[in-house]
Amino acid sequence: MITIDPQTTTADDSAVVPTVAEAGATTDALPATVVDAAVIGGGAAGLSGALMLARSRRSVVVIDSAAPRNAPAEGIHALLGNEGTAPATYLARGRAEVRQYGGLIVAGEVTSARAADPSAEGDLRFTLTLADGRTLTARRLLVATGIRDELPEIPGLAAHWGTNLVHCPFCHGWEVRDRAIGVIATRAMSFHQVLMFRALSEDVTVFVAEGLEIDPGTRERFTALGVTVVETGIEEIVADAEGSLAGVRLVGGELVPRSVLTTATVMLPRLDGLEDLGLQVEDLPAEMGRKIATGSAGATEVPGVWVAGNAADPSAQVGAAAAGGALAGGHIHGMLVMADADAAVAAHRARVAA
């Protein structure tokens, strides 16, 4: 598999993701005092959670590595009020909104996150270490690191990720309507993906991976809908002179012209540097990948740690990721309210006893 990691480039270095500076972001100073909450990840989920916390008068710091999953995309779609907004613009607005209420956005990459000794009153503490050696101590954590997408190991495929290689009919479907679409089918769920894109174009070809069986009912649907089925192996994905997609070269040399490709990715949560937290990871159905296990409002089995966004729900679009972050942020504030109230009661009893 070819891993598409927004922190680097695609497999052939053809598409560099914008840096923090290129996206127009500035960085705040990392506070030396203990903060109420640290958010790891500055995408829609992380910023939405931070906004909820900041508006609740919580001290909150977002650690932003400026590596959103949708960075290569030209615009966000199917998000009411933000249709077509460039990802960098959307995130810049979010950062400004968090700062408006006193939240901090710190450019950096977390290389270590672990539970620390609790406070004298027994309140939880976590220590984050950044790549440059700086540290931050927080009472609660919101993990919103997103996921990595793994593509099939096909020469030339990754070069088109985010442009002429798409994966979601809701995110990109309107933009590729009526074009010559090729679906690279790697598992059974890919056949449903074929039908989803067939609703957008009458010119759909499915390239079936070796060993993947098409059941009779699916094959009949493809025939009825005029979907072309290719069961010859793929040799490479071919680009034209301008670097755009030209088509799919099959084993044996035949070139099947296509202007758009789609394939299901294997989605894996980004957990680099977070191993010491002990977060539980579980498999997704239909060989889709893995996710961090969460309960209500993104709470995990690790006390004091919540997860939101694609790391918890890999299929969530921007709006759903932001909603998950807001829910987690509200839940964190609620837990902090109870912790503060319990500390106040303990202090009050001590004063009365004295």
Side-chain angles (χ1 to χ4, degrees), residues 188 191 212-222:
F191 298 143
L212 181 60
E213 297 289 335
I214 306 178
D215 65 87
T218 296
R219 196 177 290 273
E220 185 176 22
R221 291 187 191 97
F222 289 168

Side-chain angles (χ1 to χ4, degrees), residues 275-304:
E275 296 85 357
D276 289 340
L277 291 177
L279 296 171
Q280 181 182 349
V281 177
E282 60 187 22
D283 291 333
L284 295 168
E287 303 176 284
M288 294 170 59
R290 311 188 81 189
K291 64 181 282 293
I292 300 174
T294 58
S296 176
T300 72
E301 292 185 351
V302 180

